[in-house]
């Protein structure tokens, strides 16, 4: 009798679920029901007697996914899942080490260090070894250790290549010894220690290999090399690995994920045929066709074509804004229209490549009074680096602000510990004064006294240096001279935080502009208030409780990385410009553009019914107005699937990319930018003429410098010249009499 849980499976799903005992790679496209296939495979193995519940090992990447698998399994079979080995790599390794702590060389009650606990240990150890934190940043040491462990290397196996790496190798060895003395392990250690346990203990490895004859792996494309080697240790001669993944959705190369594991799995486990789940149950046909066409430009892929029995649906809407502010305004207006048509806000998502992009969008939503929620992250003014910068600014504006002082007096670290702070607070209480006054009086002794005095001098110097500066320049100065910029430059993943700090400068520039041109709203700061104090009040208001409560109907904001695994009725993909999406960092990395294209594929396939592609001709980046080249991804999408929805002018991107000038037959970009109030727009000629054949904003190419966009122009006749922002070479002035420019 056929189990009822097999009903409703399509042919490919059924084939995958009912495979005989053999290793298999299931290439599961977006929205193709991979979780259903995994859990149904587990149920089928147990129902048919091929495996007992405790004889199945299932690995996934999140606890949420593991719980969902168990919930679905119990809905199909009346079994007790308590003893089953279903969980994340780290969770299962922890379970194994708890059971075999003696063999693993660990105390029975070993503790696990989270990221912050590990960093604290690194700092403590560095201090005991007299290592200069300026020269050897603790976070960099932390990442070095994690990277070596994820490669399966202990310190004695790491080959140093210079003095810095030699010192890091020595520190890694001492770190390992300290962890062993304290009986603690970090996250990377869980996997490495478990792998080492299996690789050197034949009896234990054979025990688990004979127990787990069926090993199922979710999101296989996200496994790193050590995780794959761990799976190899667990898989004995009679074991079968059932791996489900999608190489087209491999977007975590920056944290070690390797799509090469898919090719290695086929070779190492003699998999002759890959089963492809290509029927999509999520998106309309036009969305899938666009995604298929885009991802086909990647050369390193196993290949598949998503299809649906659903209708083709609507075309993909493309809106090219004059600026990022117009882009955000369009999102607000279109979301209002969708809401009026009966769409729930919770079923609409706004995606962006960089966290810093959310600030302009959040501002537009806040102004419009539209509820929103930032998924998988914090709202702009709640982010750690922004709160640190604002605290420094609050101190510059008002030294009596105790809360601001406590936040930054030892961030970045400057040797002022908890004991010194307690003494400082005691002095303030006893003297009935602010912490700043106590710091200025500074009756402490030794290193702490010197550090506090240096901090006081830092704030006073910044206050003096920023007096009279325009607000954006003042904020930029504080970010740089406070040490925040240097601190985040030394962080492995500090690029996003630096972008957010740049966006804070942009926010200040926008605030100054709006304050100068708009009628003050009720409750706005009085005009006589200085700009910095007024801006801090504005930031506090925007950081207030405006995000929707949990469970409330709210627009969803998130990065594309955070959107993986989610789906929405309508999706807005913003910032589709070269250097932003694809990100500029990808252009110098191996496989960088292909991973960015996979990220775009993930973004496209989040949409069920309606998809918007947005770009801005100009965008505030790093405190300056930048003129942008449209993303190459537009050229890789079928033109017949795209509908231009610009209301005022024809979208220039299509004309620019298909032979005409940037601006097509519509109005020149300079005129459009001026009409939209774009800051920094040039007064140079904006309309093409015989005497001046170029327009500001026009996409051009140069034999030496490559592709770029004209951002400024001056002079006339033989003296005419243009300034071009080249994609790879930056800003350059070119004399038209000599420069050989061509329209892109």
């Amino acid at each position: 009798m056929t189990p009822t849980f097999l009903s409703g499976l399509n042919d490919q799903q059924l084939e995958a679920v009912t495979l005989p005992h053999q290793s298999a790679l299931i290439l599961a496209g977006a929205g193709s029901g991979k979780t259903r296939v995994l859990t149904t495979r587990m149920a089928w193995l147990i129902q048919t007697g091929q495996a007992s519940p405790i004889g199945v090992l299932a690995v996934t990447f999140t606890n949420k996914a593991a719980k969902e698998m168990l919930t679905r399994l119990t809905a199909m079979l009346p079994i007790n899942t308590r003893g089953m080995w279903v969980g994340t790599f780290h969770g299962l390794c922890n379970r194994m080490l708890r059971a075999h702590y003696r063999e693993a060389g660990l105390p029975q009650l070993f503790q696990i260090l989270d990221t912050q606990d590990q960093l604290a240990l690194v700092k403590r150890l560095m201090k005991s070894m007299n290592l200069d934190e300026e020269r050897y940043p603790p976070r960099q040491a932390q990442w070095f250790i994690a990277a070596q462990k994820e490669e399966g290397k202990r310190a004695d196996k790491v080959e140093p290549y210079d003095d810095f790496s030699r010192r890091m190798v020595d520190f890694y060895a001492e770190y390992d010894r300290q962890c062993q003395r304290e009986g603690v392990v970090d996250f990377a250690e869980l996997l490495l220690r478990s792998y080492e346990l299996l690789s050197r203990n034949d009896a234990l490895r054979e025990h688990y290999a004979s127990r787990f004859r069926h090993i199922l792996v979710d999101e296989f494309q996200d496994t790193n090399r050590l995780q794959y080697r761990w799976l190899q240790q667990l898989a004995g001669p009679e074991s079968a690995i059932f791996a489900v993944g999608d190489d087209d959705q491999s977007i975590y190369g920056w944290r070690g994920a390797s799509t090469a594991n898919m090719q290695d799995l086929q070779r190492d486990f003699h998999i002759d045929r890959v089963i492809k789940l290509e029927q999509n149950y999520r998106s309309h046909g036009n969305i899938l066709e666009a995604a298929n066409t885009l991802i086909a430009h990647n050369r390193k892929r196993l290949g598949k074509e998503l299809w649906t029995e659903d209708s083709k649906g609507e075309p993909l809407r493309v809106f090219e804004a004059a600026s990022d502010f117009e882009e955000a305004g369009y999102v607000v207006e279109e979301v209002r229209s969708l809401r009026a048509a009966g769409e729930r806000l919770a079923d609409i998502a706004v995606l962006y490549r960089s966290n810093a992009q959310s600030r302009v969008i959040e501002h537009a939503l806040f102004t419009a009074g539209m509820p929103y929620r930032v998924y998988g992250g914090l709202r702009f003014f709640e982010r750690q680096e922004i709160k640190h910068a604002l605290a420094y600014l609050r101190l510059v504006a008002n030294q009596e602000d105790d809360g601001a002082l406590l936040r930054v007096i030892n961030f970045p670290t400057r040797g002022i510990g908890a004991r010194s702070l307690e003494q400082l607070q005691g002095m303030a209480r006893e003297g009935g004064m602010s912490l700043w006054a106590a710091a200025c009086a500074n009756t402490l002794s030794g290193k702490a006294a010197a550090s506090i005095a240096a901090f006081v001098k830092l704030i006073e110097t910044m206050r003096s240096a920023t007096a009279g500066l325009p607000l954006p320049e003042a904020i930029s100065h504080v970010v740089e001279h406070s040490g925040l910029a240097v601190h985040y430059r030394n962080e492995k993943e500090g690029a996003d935080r630096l972008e957010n700090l740049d966006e804070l400068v942009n926010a200040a520039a926008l605030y100054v502009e709006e304050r100068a041109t708009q009628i003050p709203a009720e409750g706005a700061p009085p005009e006589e208030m200085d700009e910095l104090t007024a801006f801090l009040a504005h930031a506090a208001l925007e950081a207030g409780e405006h995000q929707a409560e949990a469970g409330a109907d709210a627009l969803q904001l998130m990065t594309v990385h955070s959107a993986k695994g989610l789906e929405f009725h309508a999706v807005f993909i913003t910032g589709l410009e070269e250097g932003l999406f694809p990100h500029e960092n990808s252009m110098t990395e191996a496989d960088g553009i292909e991973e960015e294209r996979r990220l775009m594929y993930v973004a496209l396939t989040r949409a069920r019914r309606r998809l918007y592609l947005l770009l801005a001709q100009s965008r505030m980046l790093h405190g300056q107005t930048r003129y942008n080249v449209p993303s190459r991804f537009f050229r890789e999408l079928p033109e017949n699937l795209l509908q231009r929805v610009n209301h005022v002018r024809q979208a220039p991107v299509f004309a620019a990319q298909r032979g005409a000038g940037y601006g097509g037959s519509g109005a020149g970009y300079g005129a459009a930018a001026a009409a939209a109030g774009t800051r920094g727009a040039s007064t140079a000629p904006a309309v093409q003429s015989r005497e001046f054949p170029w327009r500001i904003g026009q996409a051009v190419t140069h034999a030496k410098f490559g592709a770029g966009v004209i951002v400024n122009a001056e002079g006339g006749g033989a003296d005419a010249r243009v300034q071009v922002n080249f994609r790879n070479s930056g800003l350059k002035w070119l004399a038209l009499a000599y420069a050989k420019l061509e329209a892109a």
Side-chain angles (χ1 to χ4, degrees):
M1 180 178 176
T2 303
T4 56
F5 54 72
L6 295 181
S7 61
L9 296 176
N10 65 39
D11 292 343
Q12 289 71 37
Q13 291 173 333
L14 183 62
E15 179 186 6
V17 166
T18 59
L19 274 173
H21 185 69
Q22 64 186 64
S23 291
L25 176 59
I26 313 301
L27 199 61
S32 63
K34 72 173 180 65
T35 304
R36 183 181 185 187
V37 166
L38 265 170
T39 51
T40 308
R41 170 72 173 176
M42 292 166 65
W44 184 77
L45 290 171
I46 295 169
Q47 176 78 1
T48 57
Q50 297 181 64
S52 66
I54 61 171
V56 173
L57 176 76
V59 193
T60 187
F61 274 83
T62 66
N63 289 317
K64 179 182 177 182
K67 289 177 182 177
E68 183 180 353
M69 289 171 67
L70 290 173
T71 300
R72 292 195 187 196
L73 185 59
T74 53
M76 288 185 272
L77 292 177
I79 60 172
N80 184 353
T81 62
R82 186 174 181 82
M84 292 187 69
W85 282 55
V86 178
T88 64
F89 279 99
H90 290 115
L92 295 175
C93 287
N94 175 54
R95 184 169 178 174
M96 183 178 291
L97 293 174
R98 296 290 177 188
H100 307 286
Y101 64 90
R102 289 192 184 90
E103 295 92 331
L106 291 169
Q108 183 176 11
L109 300 177
F110 68 85
Q111 298 298 309
I112 300 173
L113 298 174
D114 64 21
T115 304
Q116 290 304 313
D117 290 337
Q118 183 192 17
L119 182 61
L121 173 57
V122 167
K123 289 180 177 179
R124 178 159 42 92
L125 192 57
M126 280 190 160
K127 186 175 182 179
S128 71
M129 295 173 67
N130 294 318
L131 286 178
D132 182 2
E133 290 191 8
E134 292 294 323
R135 188 174 179 186
Y136 305 102
R139 287 191 183 275
Q140 198 162 339
Q142 186 181 21
W143 298 321
F144 178 86
I145 292 168
Q148 303 313 314
K149 290 186 177 184
E150 287 171 3
E151 287 290 322
K153 295 179 181 178
R154 291 294 180 190
D156 60 348
K157 300 299 182 184
V158 180
E159 292 288 340
Y161 51 86
D162 58 16
D163 289 341
F164 181 85
S165 61
R166 189 172 294 107
R167 183 63 102 167
M168 284 294 97
V169 170
D170 292 342
F171 181 78
Y172 177 18
E174 184 57 34
Y175 170 86
D176 260 359
R177 287 190 286 269
Q178 185 65 26
C179 286
Q180 192 66 31
R181 283 193 291 268
E182 296 185 17
V184 296
V185 298
D186 55 46
F187 285 128
E189 182 71 17
L190 286 171
L191 188 62
L192 179 55
R193 186 74 66 116
S194 180
Y195 168 75
E196 291 172 338
L197 173 66
L198 292 170
S199 61
R200 68 169 180 259
N201 192 318
D202 293 340
L204 197 62
R205 183 175 65 253
E206 290 169 7
H207 162 74
Y208 281 108
S210 63
R211 174 177 176 174
F212 298 128
R213 295 180 66 248
H214 297 276
I215 300 173
L216 297 91
V217 189
D218 190 15
E219 302 285 9
F220 189 74
Q221 77 280 351
D222 292 335
T223 54
N224 63 32
R225 296 305 294 170
L226 183 58
Q227 288 165 341
Y228 179 67
R229 289 163 62 187
W230 182 78
L231 290 169
Q232 283 182 299
Q233 290 290 333
L234 283 171
E238 302 301 319
S239 300
I241 289 185
F242 186 87
V244 181
D246 183 4
D247 58 334
D248 290 335
Q249 295 189 75
S250 179
I251 59 175
Y252 298 113
W254 49 275
R255 68 182 189 195
S258 175
T259 55
N261 289 344
M262 287 187 158
Q263 286 78 27
D264 290 351
L265 180 75
Q266 294 176 73
R267 182 193 66 235
D268 297 339
F269 291 87
H270 312 293
I271 298 173
D272 298 323
R273 177 171 171 266
V274 174
I275 297 177
K276 299 180 181 181
L277 305 183
E278 298 174 299
Q279 184 173 358
N280 177 280
Y281 295 92
R282 175 188 300 161
S283 306
H284 282 166
N286 284 340
I287 294 171
L288 297 181
E289 184 181 345
N292 287 333
T293 305
L294 175 93
I295 202 63
H297 287 79
N298 273 6
R299 296 186 304 276
K300 302 174 185 177
R301 61 189 295 261
L302 297 173
K304 65 181 180 308
E305 289 279 326
L306 296 179
W307 62 276
T308 181
E309 291 181 344
D310 208 340
S311 65
K312 284 190 172 294
E314 303 174 355
L316 284 62
R317 292 165 168 81
V318 179
F319 181 80
E320 182 171 6
S323 68
D324 46 352
F325 307 105
E326 184 179 279
E327 177 189 61
Y330 174 76
V331 169
V332 170
E333 291 307 312
E334 196 63 23
V335 169
R336 278 177 174 157
S337 297
L338 291 170
R339 196 179 190 185
E343 201 73 77
R344 293 175 64 246
L345 289 177
D347 288 326
I348 306 170
V350 180
L351 309 184
Y352 33 82
R353 175 63 180 84
S354 167
N355 267 310
Q357 290 171 254
S358 80
R359 205 272 310 167
V360 173
I361 298 168
E362 288 187 61
H363 178 73
L365 294 171
F366 169 71
T367 303
M370 184 173 290
Y372 69 92
R373 176 166 293 281
V374 178
Y375 181 91
L378 297 171
R379 291 175 298 160
F380 181 79
F381 284 106
E382 290 178 337
R383 292 167 190 163
Q384 178 205 83
E385 61 278 11
I386 300 302
K387 292 179 78 69
H388 285 328
L390 291 174
Y392 273 110
L393 292 167
R394 283 161 52 192
L395 265 185
V396 167
N398 172 24
Q399 286 76 51
E400 305 302 303
D401 189 332
D402 284 359
L405 184 144
L406 285 171
R407 184 176 187 91
V408 297
I409 191 170
N410 199 41
F411 191 92
T413 304
R414 48 178 59 91
I416 304 173
R419 176 62 181 156
S420 299
L421 279 177
E422 287 176 7
Q423 290 177 304
L424 196 65
Q425 288 172 305
M427 289 169 54
R429 282 194 301 271
E430 290 172 11
M433 63 182 98
S434 68
L435 287 174
W436 175 260
C440 291
N442 194 2
T443 60
L444 301 179
S445 60
K447 184 180 178 181
S451 297
I452 290 173
F455 175 73
V456 169
K457 183 177 180 181
L458 171 69
I459 300 301
E460 290 177 336
T461 301
M462 288 195 298
R463 187 183 189 197
S464 175
T466 55
L469 283 180
L471 181 62
E473 291 181 29
I475 293 176
S476 183
H477 179 93
V478 168
V479 166
E480 192 63 44
H481 289 81
S482 64
L484 288 176
V486 172
H487 174 80
Y488 291 121
R489 284 189 197 113
N490 287 329
E491 281 199 348
K492 183 180 179 183
E493 297 173 11
D496 276 354
R497 297 192 187 276
L498 286 170
E499 286 184 0
N500 286 336
L501 289 172
D502 286 336
E503 189 58 32
L504 181 63
V505 178
N506 297 344
L510 174 63
Y511 174 76
V512 170
E513 181 178 306
E514 289 183 339
R515 193 177 186 218
T517 59
Q518 294 181 355
I519 299 172
E522 185 178 350
E527 287 298 315
E528 62 270 15
M529 185 183 293
D530 69 272
E531 274 191 339
L532 176 55
T533 304
F535 174 71
L536 290 170
H538 161 80
L541 287 171
E542 287 217 3
E545 296 300 320
H546 304 299
Q547 182 162 244
E549 295 294 329
D553 186 33
L555 184 67
Q556 306 295 301
L557 271 61
M558 66 194 73
T559 64
V560 182
H561 279 100
S562 296
K564 188 172 180 289
L566 304 177
E567 56 186 68
F568 305 92
H569 289 167
V571 170
F572 295 80
I573 307 174
T574 62
L576 283 168
E577 301 130 30
E578 284 292 299
L580 187 54
F581 199 1
H583 198 277
E584 58 188 355
N585 292 346
S586 69
M587 299 175 188
T588 57
E589 298 171 354
D591 192 44
I593 291 297
E594 293 217 346
E595 179 151 328
E596 288 290 299
R597 191 173 287 112
R598 293 193 290 269
L599 193 59
M600 179 65 176
Y601 175 84
V602 167
L604 293 171
T605 53
R606 298 312 94 197
R608 297 189 189 109
R609 298 197 292 258
R610 184 172 287 197
L611 184 59
Y612 297 84
L613 310 178
L614 284 71
L615 70 154
Q617 294 171 336
S618 70
R619 188 177 296 275
M620 282 287 285
L621 290 172
H622 314 301
Q624 299 178 2
T625 300
R626 302 290 182 89
Y627 295 89
N628 307 309
V629 177
S631 171
R632 69 189 66 195
F633 297 146
F634 282 109
R635 298 194 298 271
E636 299 172 358
L637 295 172
E639 185 177 4
N640 64 298
L641 299 182
L642 307 178
Q643 177 187 358
R644 299 164 234 172
V645 294
N646 289 55
H647 304 304
V648 178
R649 60 195 181 283
Q650 188 177 8
V653 58
F654 296 96
Q657 294 186 356
R658 293 180 170 85
Y662 195 102
S665 59
Y669 172 74
T678 302
R679 293 183 302 280
S682 173
T683 57
V687 180
Q688 189 177 31
S689 67
R690 291 179 182 175
E691 293 75 23
F692 197 90
W694 305 104
R695 292 186 301 277
I696 293 175
Q698 184 169 358
V700 295
T701 60
H702 186 276
K704 179 179 179 181
F705 302 124
V709 175
I710 295 175
V711 299
N712 208 344
E714 65 181 25
D719 296 326
R721 65 178 192 153
V722 292
Q723 187 181 36
V724 182
N725 187 9
F726 288 104
R727 184 185 305 160
N728 298 321
S729 310
L731 288 168
K732 296 187 181 298
W733 280 100
L734 301 174
L736 290 179
Y738 304 102
K740 295 182 179 180
L741 287 176
E742 294 182 3

